[in-house]
Amino acid sequence: MPQYQRLGEIPRKHHIWFHLNHGRPTYKNEGIAYEHVITTEGFNEAYSIMYHIRPPTRVRDIKLIKCEELKKVTDAPLRHHHLKSAHVPRQGDLYTGRIPMLFNQDMIAYRHKPAKTYGEFEYYRNGGADEIIFVFQGGGTLESPFGKLRYRAEDYIVIPRGITYRLVPDDVTKEDYLILESTGPVRIPSRYLNHQGQIRMGSPYSERDFHGPGELLTIDKDGDVEVLVKDGPRWTRVVHAHHPFDVVGWDGFVYPFTFNAQDFEPITGTVHQPPPIHQTFEIRGYVVCTFAPRLLDYHPEAVKIPWVHDNVEADEVLFYVRGNFGSRKGIEAGSITLHPRGIPHGPHPGTIMASKDAVRTEELAVMFDTEHTLELTEQAVALDDENYPKSWLD
Ligand SMILES: [Fe+2]
């Protein structure tokens, strides 16, 4: 997580009596707030401590909804793919309408244009994976026990696993997301951190570019609240006996936060720089990179678009957000390309000469490179341009 944050009332030390102020009646009149530690990688890595009005363990009912493994398409050859995901149907609610496109053991990538805010559930929790919601279009508020967090277009919203949340979009019919679900934690690349844990100068962002919740909700309300809990392929209904957003204060390094792609400070060179300069997040089994608007290479003889390359140990995915994609033809905002291992890829014919006099690129794209092979779902294949592998012919 990017940095230490605190919000609301907290006691002066960990694990001491914490009497709620203002003579507030508390659960069973015990008079204290209930400490709730949320930890990562056992108790070894980042953690936060929340203080609830009622014990967060008060669950009234639990019921399995379904267990549904993702199915991969097995009869596709090894080839490049262009998934025209700008055309995914607007469907479902904010949690159940997500359309899986690509997946492996470490991650699932979804596209999602919700048709309505809520179906059966207003509240959702991913118990098995961290989520990155990249807001392609839209804006609104994410509510959680940590408080209210505003989000806007081109934000990465990072939600650590185990956190109950409710998305409150300004206008659900405008929302359009790329969602990455990770079995490993989402982290700042360790090479960007100094020995004190601060983001190094010269990194493509600083702590000031990350935004945590700004205002607590502290909902002091008894009565059932149903939460849809997903962990891997399993979906469970959990009925809490009171509102889970009853937190009076918290501190720590684990909380939902946003980082806007426009705040990514591009690193440029006289000649073409490789993708690691665009790295934004480090996750077990894959990386996320931001190709932000930037000055193109400025050596007088520089070829200004990428070289042909074989990514021999990675599958490479690009999600095109906006701008003119200098090295590609036939790509639109909202497109996804998958360039797997085993086949070279590079600039489309004519794009090298076309970029000769260009000084800047206004393109914005999100890339994720995975260590293990990505599988396509049926929904992805339905959006696939089957002529894309031959698009490098003159
Ligand atoms: Fe590439």
Side-chain angles (χ1 to χ4, degrees), residues 292-308:
R294 63 196 177 278
L295 202 60
L296 288 168
D297 319 317
Y298 31 90
H299 187 283
E301 296 169 75
V303 175
K304 294 179 179 173
I305 52 175
W307 49 70
V308 170

Side-chain angles (χ1 to χ4, degrees), residues 309 311 316 318 328 339 345 367:
H309 58 282
N311 29 293
E316 182 189 296
L318 269 162
R328 296 274 135 72
H339 299 138
H345 68 277
M367 186 178 86

Side-chain angles (χ1 to χ4, degrees), residues 32-59:
I32 59 160
Y34 296 88
E35 194 177 37
H36 175 193
V37 183
I38 177 162
T39 69
T40 58
E41 301 211 358
F43 291 86
N44 277 335
E45 295 292 339
Y47 63 90
S48 285
I49 303 182
M50 294 187 268
Y51 295 88
H52 294 267
I53 295 169
R54 296 176 175 83
T57 41
R58 297 178 67 234
V59 167

Side-chain angles (χ1 to χ4, degrees), residues 66-73 100 103-105 108 110 181 230-235 376-379:
K66 64 175 179 181
C67 202
E68 203 169 65
E69 297 282 354
L70 288 180
K71 285 196 195 84
K72 65 177 183 182
V73 172
F103 67 100
N104 67 17
Q105 66 223 68
I108 305 171
Y110 302 85
E181 202 183 89
K230 179 182 191 297
D231 71 306
R234 183 167 52 185
W235 299 74
L376 281 96
T377 62
E378 270 175 24
Q379 293 98 318

Side-chain angles (χ1 to χ4, degrees), residues 78 101-110 132 179-183 275 279 281-289 310-318 336-342 345 366-376:
L78 177 69
M101 308 288 288
L102 300 164
F103 67 100
N104 67 17
Q105 66 223 68
D106 299 312
M107 65 99 59
I108 305 171
Y110 302 85
I132 302 173
I179 301 176
L180 308 177
E181 202 183 89
S182 315
T183 54
Q279 192 178 352
F281 298 115
E282 175 177 271
I283 305 143
R284 192 170 62 229
Y286 77 108
V287 296
V288 173
C289 299
D310 259 294
N311 29 293
V312 295
E313 291 178 354
D315 280 4
E316 182 189 296
V317 181
L318 269 162
I336 290 175
T337 55
L338 164 62
H339 299 138
R341 66 206 66 207
H345 68 277
V366 173
M367 186 178 86
F368 51 98
D369 269 19
T370 66
E371 186 184 330
H372 295 107
T373 305
L374 282 165
E375 305 292 352
L376 281 96

Side-chain angles (χ1 to χ4, degrees), residues 63-248:
K63 196 174 173 198
L64 177 70
I65 297 171
K66 64 175 179 181
C67 202
E68 203 169 65
E69 297 282 354
L70 288 180
K71 285 196 195 84
K72 65 177 183 182
V73 172
T74 52
D75 57 357
L78 177 69
R79 66 166 172 84
H80 295 318
H81 295 273
H82 171 198
L83 311 177
K84 295 190 154 187
S85 82
H87 308 283
V88 287
R90 191 164 280 286
Q91 68 166 48
D93 62 59
L94 287 162
Y95 317 120
T96 63
R98 301 173 179 188
I99 302 174
M101 308 288 288
L102 300 164
F103 67 100
N104 67 17
Q105 66 223 68
D106 299 312
M107 65 99 59
I108 305 171
Y110 302 85
R111 286 282 284 115
H112 187 27
K113 288 192 223 175
K116 59 180 178 179
T117 46
Y118 315 116
E120 206 178 332
F121 296 91
E122 268 186 57
Y123 296 91
Y124 171 79
R125 176 162 81 235
N126 197 322
D130 284 16
E131 290 181 356
I132 302 173
I133 301 178
F134 179 79
V135 183
F136 176 41
Q137 284 160 12
T141 305
L142 178 138
E143 297 178 352
S144 78
F146 293 86
K148 287 186 187 178
L149 176 64
R150 282 292 301 171
Y151 67 86
R152 62 191 171 104
E154 299 177 4
D155 266 347
Y156 295 94
I157 314 171
V158 177
I159 310 156
R161 72 202 58 203
I163 294 177
T164 303
Y165 69 83
R166 178 168 82 140
L167 283 172
V168 187
D170 296 336
D171 177 354
V172 74
T173 63
K174 302 263 170 36
E175 298 291 283
D176 194 335
Y177 311 128
L178 168 76
I179 301 176
L180 308 177
E181 202 183 89
S182 315
T183 54
V186 177
R187 296 214 165 110
I188 305 292
S190 48
R191 66 194 162 89
Y192 292 167
L193 301 175
N194 63 26
H195 292 302
Q196 289 72 43
Q198 187 180 18
I199 298 173
R200 281 195 170 107
M201 294 184 92
S203 300
Y205 45 59
S206 76
E207 279 85 356
R208 295 184 196 177
D209 299 318
F210 292 86
H211 308 282
E215 185 191 343
L216 282 173
L217 287 147
T218 318
I219 301 172
D220 182 3
K221 199 167 142 195
D222 227 338
D224 292 357
V225 174
E226 297 191 350
V227 179
L228 175 63
V229 179
K230 179 182 191 297
D231 71 306
R234 183 167 52 185
W235 299 74
T236 305
R237 174 202 307 269
V238 176
V239 182
H240 291 260
H242 62 265
H243 203 290
F245 298 172
D246 66 339
V247 168
V248 296

